[in-house]
Amino acid sequence: GAVVSQHPSRVICKSGTSVKIECRSLDFQATTMFWYRQFPKKSLMLMATSNEGSKATYEQGVEKDKFLINHASLTLSTLTVTSAHPEDSSFYICSARQGGNTEAFFGQGTRLTVV
Amino acid sequence: AQTVTQSQPEMSVQEAETVTLSCTYDTSESDYYLFWYKQPPSRQMILVIRQEAYKQQNATENRFSVNFQKAAKSFSLKISDSQLGDAAMYFCAYFLIQGAQKLVFGQGTRLTINP
């Protein structure tokens, strides 16, 4: 299957700083990428959907100025958590889909800890 | 809005036995896909099986099969000959082909395999 690489897998940052998470599709062109947040022992909560070259569509309740999403190329999307606070600590997962395909491929996830 | 419900937070099964995980969904659409994803302790999301709503035949993938009841909006996963490596969180997901084209996940079921 297709491979989606997410980096870093773990990051610890200080409160008030910003942290960037990258999501790359290694062997296909990802026209659409999705960013999820997962709390411990909970399901995946969709944060936003991004299409290459256009602004991301955020789900209700997700602050777009806090969670900046960029999808500048067909193989790379980034999520930047700005002015991070301890409550932003979570597991973030990206997934990518190509064109009209129904299957989405997932990255390995990033555990963010804000101290 | 579409919703996906997994009513079993936890399930356990003896190794080599069969277990069925339940999933129901709510939609007014007729053209969609349903998925079961597995999330092992590594947190990597792995596609287990996929079902197209227009197909009456239940999907099967080796030891994994589904019971798709479209009228009842039910999509259960049966795991035969359970193996220790099957231990994971299992998520049922719904994908609408038209419109937003995003996955909607259920709450998840934690499956434990007893040796």
Side-chain angles (χ1 to χ4, degrees), chain A residues 16-63:
Chain A
T17 63
S18 296
V19 60
K20 180 183 288 186
I21 303 170
E22 292 187 349
C23 181
R24 293 180 184 273
S25 58
L26 299 186
D27 50 5
F28 68 100
Q29 293 185 327
T31 49
T32 307
M33 285 190 171
F34 305 87
W35 287 95
Y36 297 87
R37 182 173 181 175
Q38 186 178 29
F39 292 100
K41 299 184 180 181
K42 297 293 184 182
S43 188
L44 282 71
M45 180 191 77
L46 180 65
M47 299 174 67
T49 302
S50 72
N51 293 296
E52 185 266 339
S54 61
K55 289 184 178 180
T57 301
Y58 289 81
E59 295 298 302
Q60 190 172 9
V62 178
E63 298 177 60

Side-chain angles (χ1 to χ4, degrees), chain A residues 102, chain B residues 2-5 23-27 31-37 47-55 58-59 66-70 72-76 91-97 103-104:
Chain A
T102 57
Chain B
Q2 293 80 22
T3 59
V4 178
T5 301
C23 173
T24 58
Y25 58 95
D26 185 26
T27 184
D31 202 8
Y32 51 88
Y33 283 74
L34 296 165
F35 301 87
W36 277 99
Y37 281 91
L47 178 64
V48 174
I49 200 165
R50 169 173 56 191
Q51 175 79 44
E52 293 90 336
Y54 66 86
K55 289 188 177 179
N58 289 323
V66 298
N67 183 2
F68 174 48
Q69 301 291 326
K70 191 172 184 179
K73 297 179 184 176
S74 171
F75 182 61
S76 60
F91 293 100
C92 178
Y94 166 98
F95 177 83
L96 180 62
I97 295 174
L103 278 170
V104 178

Side-chain angles (χ1 to χ4, degrees), chain B residues 3-97:
Chain B
T3 59
V4 178
T5 301
Q6 293 177 247
S7 59
Q8 306 154 315
E10 296 183 352
M11 291 283 285
S12 63
V13 63
Q14 289 295 124
E15 192 176 5
E17 296 293 308
T18 296
V19 64
T20 298
L21 308 184
S22 301
C23 173
T24 58
Y25 58 95
D26 185 26
T27 184
S28 58
E29 304 293 335
S30 60
D31 202 8
Y32 51 88
Y33 283 74
L34 296 165
F35 301 87
W36 277 99
Y37 281 91
K38 169 184 177 180
Q39 188 180 40
S42 68
R43 309 289 294 267
Q44 173 74 56
M45 295 289 284
I46 301 167
L47 178 64
V48 174
I49 200 165
R50 169 173 56 191
Q51 175 79 44
E52 293 90 336
Y54 66 86
K55 289 188 177 179
Q56 291 186 332
Q57 187 174 6
N58 289 323
T60 63
E61 286 289 341
N62 300 314
R63 298 182 295 107
F64 299 87
S65 62
V66 298
N67 183 2
F68 174 48
Q69 301 291 326
K70 191 172 184 179
K73 297 179 184 176
S74 171
F75 182 61
S76 60
L77 174 69
K78 185 172 79 171
I79 305 175
S80 304
D81 185 25
S82 298
Q83 300 176 358
L84 294 178
D86 294 334
M89 281 289 288
Y90 285 82
F91 293 100
C92 178
Y94 166 98
F95 177 83
L96 180 62
I97 295 174

